[in-house]
Amino acid sequence: MEIIHISAECYPVAKVGGLADVVGALPKYQNKLGHIAKVVVPAYDTKFIRESEFEVTYDAWANYGNNHFRYRILKEKTNKLGFDLYIIHIQGLTDRPNVYGYKDDTERFVAFQIATLDWIVQWEHRPDVLHCHDHHTGLIPFMVSNCVKYKPISSVPTVLTIHNAQYQGQFGWDKLYYLPAFDLWKGGLLGWEDAINPLASAIKCAWKVTTVSPSYLDEMMNNARGLESLLRQERWKSVGILNGIDSEVWDPETDPMLSKGYNLKTVEAGKLANKTALCDVFQLDPSKPLFTFIGRLVDEKGADLLPDIFYTALQQHGDNINILVLGSGDNWVEGRLNQLKGIFAGKYNAYIGYNEQVSHEMYAGADFLIMPSRVEPCGLNQLYALRYGTVPIVRRIGGLKDTVIDIGDNGFGICHDQTSIWDVTHAINRAVELYNDKKAFKAVRKTMMKIDHSWDNAALNYIELYQILK
Ligand SMILES: Nc1ncnc2c1ncn2[C@@H]1O[C@H](COP(=O)(O)OP(=O)(O)O[C@H]2O[C@H](CO)[C@@H](O)[C@H](O)[C@H]2O)[C@@H](O)[C@H]1O
């Protein structure tokens, strides 16, 4: 089958969060299964794009509304990611350093989606499926089925994967004219409440809707930022497929970002070496348990509670624990996390910003990884932690519930029910007890490192789903 993944992010081309990890890995595993999976993303001004070689495969003009734009489709020459990578360059719209956060994000992603379809519609052959990821590509299912100019590809199945229903990409009806012509009576398929809502539109129009864990699919029926009733209505065509991880990129034995590689047999010495190096950089004490948080500092991750959680835990445990944070997001959370550095020097530190290298060093050097998420569609951090022998401390929600079993149930993680200061500090107390029971701690590390969360199975689940659509 020929599968076209269309996305705003793809690791290592452009990454903000987990969406990039999925789009950078799933196609590779689909290719390994003998299919042809390709990826289309906007051509941002990122390091990967600047440092890779591309050839122009298509050069044309398009428009959204009255705005004409020139776009070029560039193909990465060496296939170094394990799939064909196409980037769409739209001068003045895509060629910026950040993926999101601009006032004209609506225009940028509408233009990207129109350019993608304008290009595909003039191919001599038809792909087998267009796989859209999140709201940035959410207008594609509607446009493929309804816009006159895309009629030649209207029989190509579209699949939407919801990585996070918190973000929907709404914009006003005054911008309806951005879309290529369609019968206006079909316009209702674009809207939800009082706006054009790309995520809602894709839920209505895609042939299949998937999300990234079975539990999150259930939870969305009652908690999806206003889309609950729509999701209930479209449940018949929806399925939850648990994400995998790229076990080539995330392999503690070969990870070039670590101070020392390790495997199941050498995990104790390997983790200690990485912990020592990490503690050295962040002025922490490697003889104490190291708790970490990695992620976007936003409410859905429970980040607003982190400063109080850490303050309470550090007060309770005195000199017996270390905490290290890596993240960026809400300014006031960043500020408070920075403030704690002065209060708890030598046992707490925070790196405010985005740093892939430091994240790998932390998965390897940490003893525990905290994820007190309010919403977690799948979560990849806990899967990386498991592979690197780091015990996840998670709230029982979404994909966290589907992937982490509590030590009290013969599992390998520490689970709690609520995103609250009490629940998380209690979980930290349990973690300290586990850490002090050296035999049990070692056994838990071994158990979790043996778990296979690679994409092999999930990639096949997606193929089976596409095949039903043929
Ligand atoms: N400051 C920083 N520096 C370096 N690396 C950082 C970082 N902040 C985050 N990361 C990295 O970004 C990724 C985060 O992935 P997640 O899946 O946990 O969350 P996210 O909410 O972005 O993804 C959404 O999509 C994914 C994919 O489907 C779902 O798993 C998830 O539940 C959903 O919310 C990890 O690779 C992590 O290491």
Side-chain angles (χ1 to χ4, degrees):
M1 297 186 89
E2 184 178 1
I3 307 135
I4 314 296
H5 290 276
I6 309 162
S7 169
E9 297 181 39
C10 171
Y11 179 81
V13 187
K15 172 168 168 177
V16 175
L19 168 63
D21 293 9
V22 171
V23 178
L26 170 62
K28 185 162 88 179
Y29 284 78
Q30 291 180 328
N31 284 339
K32 281 191 195 160
L33 292 172
H35 300 279
I36 303 168
K38 302 176 173 176
V39 173
V40 184
V41 291
Y44 308 106
D45 181 16
T46 62
K47 185 166 179 279
F48 177 91
I49 291 182
R50 281 194 305 275
E51 290 175 358
S52 304
E53 269 194 81
F54 290 91
E55 62 195 349
V56 179
T57 62
Y58 192 64
D59 189 342
W61 286 81
N63 51 299
Y64 63 93
N66 305 325
N67 307 292
H68 290 281
F69 62 89
R70 181 181 172 193
Y71 68 97
R72 285 182 306 145
I73 312 285
L74 301 127
K75 181 172 182 245
E76 196 274 320
K77 274 184 172 174
T78 61
N79 200 288
K80 63 182 169 187
L81 301 182
F83 50 79
D84 284 345
L85 168 71
Y86 294 90
I87 58 171
I88 302 193
H89 181 268
I90 306 173
Q91 200 158 10
L93 285 180
T94 60
D95 49 356
R96 302 186 197 165
N98 296 328
V99 176
Y100 317 115
Y102 300 101
K103 270 201 290 220
D104 57 352
D105 278 355
T106 296
E107 286 73 13
R108 297 170 71 224
F109 289 110
V110 168
F112 167 65
Q113 293 174 82
I114 290 175
T116 304
L117 293 183
D118 274 19
W119 169 52
I120 293 174
V121 79
Q122 55 76 46
W123 291 4
E124 280 168 13
H125 71 284
R126 303 279 166 251
D128 292 294
V129 62
L130 299 179
H131 191 150
C132 305
H133 296 267
D134 272 353
H135 73 82
H136 325 96
T137 56
L139 297 170
I140 287 178
F142 173 84
M143 293 198 286
V144 168
S145 331
N146 299 298
C147 290
V148 183
K149 74 195 281 203
Y150 303 133
K151 197 148 184 58
I153 52 169
S154 60
S155 60
V156 177
T158 50
V159 171
L160 165 74
T161 294
I162 304 174
H163 294 265
N164 198 332
Q166 298 295 104
Y167 305 95
Q168 301 171 5
Q170 298 95 326
F171 57 93
W173 284 104
D174 55 322
K175 293 180 177 170
L176 180 66
Y177 75 102
Y178 283 178
L179 302 194
F182 59 89
D183 286 338
L184 273 180
W185 60 270
K186 292 179 176 162
L189 291 169
L190 288 166
W192 193 253
E193 289 171 348
D194 293 330
I196 294 177
N197 183 319
L199 189 69
S201 173
I203 294 167
K204 294 179 199 179
C205 300
W207 295 29
K208 282 274 177 196
V209 175
T210 77
T211 190
V212 290
S213 71
S215 286
Y216 185 57
L217 180 65
D218 290 340
E219 288 163 11
M220 279 197 304
M221 304 299 140
N222 298 310
N223 180 14
R225 209 161 254 191
L227 299 184
E228 300 79 4
S229 60
L230 175 62
L231 284 156
R232 270 182 239 140
Q233 194 179 313
E234 302 293 350
R235 183 154 191 166
W236 63 274
K237 64 173 185 187
S238 307
V239 55
I241 300 177
L242 192 67
N243 281 337
I245 62 172
D246 188 331
S247 45
E248 287 169 10
V249 173
W250 296 94
D251 180 351
E253 193 162 17
T254 55
D255 189 335
M257 300 191 206
L258 306 191
S259 335
K260 186 179 165 77
Y262 60 94
N263 57 28
L264 196 59
K265 285 199 187 118
T266 57
V267 53
E268 294 303 321
K271 280 193 76 74
L272 182 61
N274 284 288
K275 182 177 179 182
T276 308
L278 191 64
C279 288
D280 199 35
V281 174
F282 288 98
Q283 292 106 43
L284 300 169
D285 180 350
S287 68
K288 311 282 161 56
L290 176 58
F291 292 84
T292 52
F293 174 91
I294 300 172
R296 296 182 293 111
L297 300 174
V298 293
D299 286 1
E300 73 191 73
K301 302 284 181 195
D304 51 316
L305 296 186
L306 288 177
D308 289 330
I309 290 169
F310 295 153
Y311 185 89
T312 313
L314 286 159
Q315 287 273 330
Q316 276 180 10
H317 291 279
D319 288 330
N320 293 325
I321 62 170
N322 295 297
I323 296 176
L324 179 59
V325 183
L326 167 65
S328 60
D330 292 348
N331 285 347
W332 74 269
V333 179
E334 292 184 353
R336 285 205 60 207
L337 288 172
N338 265 334
Q339 255 173 12
L340 293 181
K341 288 190 208 169
I343 310 174
F344 297 107
K347 35 194 162 178
Y348 168 89
N349 214 332
Y351 180 119
I352 301 300
Y354 185 91
N355 192 315
E356 194 74 24
Q357 163 96 26
V358 174
S359 77
H360 284 242
E361 289 167 358
M362 284 173 67
Y363 289 117
D367 296 303
F368 300 96
L369 179 90
I370 298 175
M371 295 182 77
S373 308
R374 291 196 175 83
V375 178
E376 197 59 82
C378 175
L380 295 170
N381 299 16
Q382 83 280 13
L383 304 183
Y384 300 145
L386 293 174
R387 187 107 210 269
Y388 282 60
T390 298
V391 180
I393 299 179
V394 305
R395 175 169 176 219
R396 285 189 188 91
I397 189 97
L400 300 174
K401 188 161 106 186
D402 293 346
T403 53
V404 181
I405 303 172
D406 191 88
I407 45 171
D409 299 322
N410 289 325
F412 42 81
I414 295 177
C415 303
H416 55 92
D417 287 322
Q418 299 302 331
T419 300
S420 71
I421 299 168
W422 193 89
D423 269 43
V424 184
T425 46
H426 179 67
I428 291 176
N429 298 346
R430 292 183 64 208
V432 172
E433 266 176 43
L434 175 66
Y435 181 86
N436 289 334
D437 182 347
K438 291 291 168 221
K439 200 168 154 219
F441 191 54
K442 279 185 191 170
V444 164
R445 271 187 173 159
K446 296 237 168 185
T447 307
M448 62 187 165
M449 284 183 75
K450 283 187 204 147
I451 301 169
D452 179 9
H453 272 296
S454 80
W455 267 108
D456 296 306
N457 289 334
L460 194 60
N461 292 339
Y462 278 107
I463 299 291
E464 287 164 358
L465 178 114
Y466 308 144
Q467 273 161 348
I468 299 171
L469 303 175
K470 282 189 77 181

